[in-house]
Amino acid sequence: MSKAIAIWDEIMTSLETECSTVSFDVWVKTLQPVCISENKLILLATNSEHKENVNSKLRILIRQVLKQSKPYIEDIIVALSDELSLYADDEKEQAASEFDVKLSAPNEIMKKYNFENFVIGKCNEYAVEAAKSISNNPGEQYNPFFLYGDSGLGKTHIMHAIGNSIMMSKPELKIVYVTSEKFLNDFITSIPTGSAKEVAKSFREKYRKADVLIIDDVQFISGKTATVEELFHTFNELHDSGKQLIFTSDRPPSELRDIEDRLRSRFGWGLIIDVQQPDYETRIAILRKKSQAKFVNIPIDVLSIMAEEMNSNIRDMESLLNKVIFLSGLTKRAPSKELVYEALKDYRNVVEEKISSDSILDCVCAYFKLSPDDILGKKKTKDIVEPRQICMYLMTEYTNYPLGTIGKQLGGRDHTTIMHARDKIEKMLGTVERVRTAVEDIKCMIFKK
Ligand code: ADP
Ligand code: MG
């Protein structure tokens, strides 16, 4: 572990008790320790609003904590990704002569995710068709392949299935699978002398020598300017030499924020496909397959309750199934409807510990003196539209529900409406004082409940 990470971990532990939960979650946890430069701790902020807020709200507190526990660190510097090149890493300077960046090992392709155990339904048939065709002819047909959709719908599974399939048929090909966070971290640790232009050889070796490069959840590099730029060059080099590029994201390229247009447009050069929520029959088939893989036989009426209760996220549905199997083993009872209800109770407790949609709706209504019917209804006057969009934004921030579910909870709206509102309010937070104050105040109300 680098010194910066170790120090920041310690500081965070103190900060957790010193500042409010909201501040901690929103501003502190999202900072990334980068290095120690000239005895200052360099922290990477996600965007300029983040940076400003940390500097204005938390800097003094962080300095105090540093003074007490790490007096040799003089201060913190909150930087954006394109400013990182200004700061040389003290540790690396010392070791400069024998410099060799140790990149994190590439993520292994997971054997457990393959095409054989992936259930095909209307929601994902095109995605699987394309994935299989790419596995047969990497680099030739659909390049890049861009797969998007809400969380828990099988995107990562399909990525690994492609990897497994190519490893079987063309073992000589070098497949690199990484999440975009890993790409980002590798990139940051690879800047040896403080200049983003001088990226370590090992980084380029790893990424530019790939025959198949898979980057999962690419939305997380939004706003990380230097990393986006590096990805752009990696993309060009690989694409020019006919190597296969594959990306997943929770949204289509057109909705990726803070990504240069030239990279965004390249994402669309090949094939863009989405995965959607599975219908009831597909959910049952998935539950069947998953339980068979665990050699557990569960009656269809029991599976059907699980499929009914968990309709928007397969990861959650799978975790419910695991819970039922676990309870069944523990209590030595065959899986039954009762057991599902028992498991659901536990499951819901976990969900309820997070912030509920209702409490967000209540707080928004109380703040703006509106009724839930106003928010859920269709009226389009400005005094209702903005609170409604703020409500949508807060629900995307503080619940784990996919956009489609939030849409349903808010009067049966489409997931694109929620996405639009989220992006709009997020933008306004940086520019419109009224909106910023409202969001801050409502957050306080939500967390005080
Ligand atoms: P995403 O990357 O879209 O968030 P994942 O690929 O991580 O979703 O999928 C979440 C879980 O659901 C995984 O355990 C995966 O195996 C399972 N899953 C999703 N879709 C299917 C499917 N069609 N058939 C079998 N399992 C699936
Ligand atoms: Mg995933």
Side-chain angles (χ1 to χ4, degrees):
M1 199 194 312
S2 83
K3 220 167 166 186
I5 297 179
I7 291 176
W8 182 239
D9 269 0
E10 239 186 283
I11 302 293
M12 283 228 293
T13 318
S14 308
L15 285 173
E16 195 165 4
T17 50
E18 300 270 343
C19 56
S20 74
T21 321
V22 191
S23 294
F24 187 76
D25 282 350
V26 179
W27 307 124
V28 179
K29 257 171 52 188
T30 40
L31 284 169
Q32 252 193 63
V34 180
C35 63
I36 314 285
S37 182
E38 296 178 356
N39 297 332
K40 297 187 185 70
L41 175 61
I42 313 297
L43 297 165
L44 176 66
T46 45
N47 52 37
S48 50
E49 194 211 346
H50 187 192
K51 174 175 163 169
E52 274 165 34
N53 272 291
V54 175
N55 279 333
S56 63
K57 298 191 173 122
L58 291 165
R59 186 131 178 224
I60 297 177
L61 178 64
I62 299 178
R63 265 195 212 150
Q64 273 171 1
V65 175
L66 270 174
K67 213 169 169 183
Q68 282 159 13
S69 60
K70 302 278 166 220
Y72 55 93
I73 303 288
E74 293 162 8
D75 202 353
I76 56 161
I77 292 179
V78 185
L80 299 173
S81 58
D82 50 355
E83 297 163 345
L84 286 181
S85 54
L86 298 172
Y87 307 104
D89 184 340
D90 292 353
E91 267 180 286
K92 279 186 191 154
E93 291 281 279
Q94 280 166 17
S97 52
E98 66 225 68
F99 181 79
D100 179 25
V101 194
K102 258 213 148 72
L103 294 177
S104 46
N107 276 357
E108 294 282 312
I109 295 287
M110 283 191 272
K111 285 265 173 284
K112 67 171 182 173
Y113 292 144
N114 49 50
F115 285 124
E116 287 69 44
N117 62 15
F118 193 79
V119 175
I120 302 176
K122 267 212 164 56
C123 55
N124 57 28
E125 59 184 345
Y126 297 137
V128 174
E129 184 74 23
K132 284 187 174 165
S133 142
I134 286 162
S135 308
N136 294 332
N137 302 300
E140 282 175 26
Q141 226 175 342
Y142 305 123
N143 203 14
F145 176 37
F146 193 102
L147 180 65
Y148 75 94
D150 278 349
S151 170
L153 297 183
K155 299 182 297 294
T156 297
H157 189 133
I158 296 175
M159 295 300 100
H160 288 280
I162 297 177
N164 278 310
S165 167
I166 299 180
M167 277 201 299
M168 291 286 279
S169 59
K170 299 187 173 63
E172 71 282 5
L173 294 190
K174 184 178 170 206
I175 304 168
V176 176
Y177 167 90
V178 280
T179 58
S180 65
E181 288 111 321
K182 193 160 210 166
F183 184 85
L184 176 90
N185 284 336
D186 275 356
F187 179 60
I188 292 173
T189 43
S190 295
I191 303 173
T193 53
S195 158
K197 290 207 167 49
E198 238 177 281
V199 174
K201 228 169 107 198
S202 45
F203 180 86
R204 300 242 152 104
E205 293 267 305
K206 173 173 168 184
Y207 287 103
R208 299 211 185 172
K209 295 245 160 80
D211 295 300
V212 180
L213 175 61
I214 305 174
I215 301 191
D216 207 355
D217 286 323
V218 76
Q219 73 273 8
F220 291 125
I221 63 160
S222 290
K224 318 281 187 332
T225 319
T227 312
V228 170
E229 165 120 19
E230 181 63 26
L231 178 57
F232 172 75
H233 293 302
T234 309
F235 183 110
N236 288 343
E237 192 158 325
L238 292 179
H239 196 270
D240 285 351
S241 41
K243 310 296 187 187
Q244 179 71 49
L245 291 138
I246 306 178
F247 302 94
T248 74
S249 161
D250 65 351
R251 66 201 78 183
S254 58
E255 284 162 26
L256 285 170
R257 288 161 294 170
D258 299 327
I259 280 202
E260 284 174 74
D261 284 340
R262 51 185 192 165
L263 181 59
R264 193 201 320 278
S265 77
R266 275 164 176 74
F267 283 150
W269 276 2
L271 181 66
I272 305 177
I273 288 199
D274 65 330
V275 275
Q276 297 182 342
Q277 290 181 4
D279 56 24
Y280 176 73
E281 289 76 12
T282 311
R283 298 202 298 277
I284 293 274
I286 294 172
L287 285 168
R288 269 231 166 96
K289 202 146 213 165
K290 299 270 177 195
S291 49
Q292 278 163 2
K294 292 179 189 295
F295 304 104
V296 185
N297 195 356
I298 303 184
I300 181 77
D301 57 329
V302 179
L303 291 183
S304 67
I305 300 177
M306 291 189 234
E308 275 161 21
E309 290 292 333
M310 295 287 174
N311 58 5
S312 56
N313 181 322
I314 301 173
R315 189 177 298 116
D316 289 350
M317 188 175 78
E318 202 178 326
S319 105
L320 175 67
L321 172 71
N322 289 339
K323 183 98 202 181
V324 170
I325 295 175
F326 170 76
L327 285 178
S328 152
L330 194 72
T331 58
K332 306 220 167 10
R333 286 187 284 162
S336 62
K337 286 185 193 177
E338 288 69 37
L339 221 50
V340 177
Y341 289 124
E342 210 171 308
L344 267 173
K345 200 177 69 201
D346 287 357
Y347 188 88
R348 295 233 158 99
N349 279 344
V350 177
V351 175
E352 271 163 18
E353 271 179 22
K354 304 207 180 83
I355 292 153
S356 75
S357 306
D358 282 349
S359 72
I360 294 175
L361 180 62
D362 286 349
C363 293
V364 171
C365 288
Y367 183 85
F368 290 106
K369 303 193 174 46
L370 294 170
S371 75
D373 285 346
D374 291 329
I375 300 285
L376 302 181
K378 301 263 180 274
K379 260 192 238 155
K380 290 220 164 46
T381 48
K382 183 161 186 261
D383 57 329
I384 296 183
V385 170
E386 197 169 279
R388 188 184 287 144
Q389 291 183 327
I390 289 180
C391 187
M392 294 174 182
Y393 164 79
L394 289 166
M395 283 166 94
T396 61
E397 285 282 291
Y398 292 110
T399 71
N400 281 338
Y401 297 119
L403 300 176
T405 310
I406 295 177
K408 278 193 204 113
Q409 292 169 339
L410 287 177
R413 295 182 150 82
D414 193 64
H415 76 280
T416 50
T417 311
I418 308 298
M419 190 141 58
H420 169 73
R422 177 195 63 193
D423 293 352
K424 185 169 157 204
I425 297 298
E426 206 165 84
K427 256 210 192 104
M428 289 172 90
L429 284 177
T431 49
V432 184
E433 189 57 37
R434 176 187 73 247
V435 171
R436 191 184 8 232
T437 315
V439 166
E440 284 295 326
D441 289 352
I442 298 170
K443 269 190 213 163
C444 290
M445 292 162 73
I446 295 169
F447 282 96
K448 270 199 195 125
K449 275 203 153 189

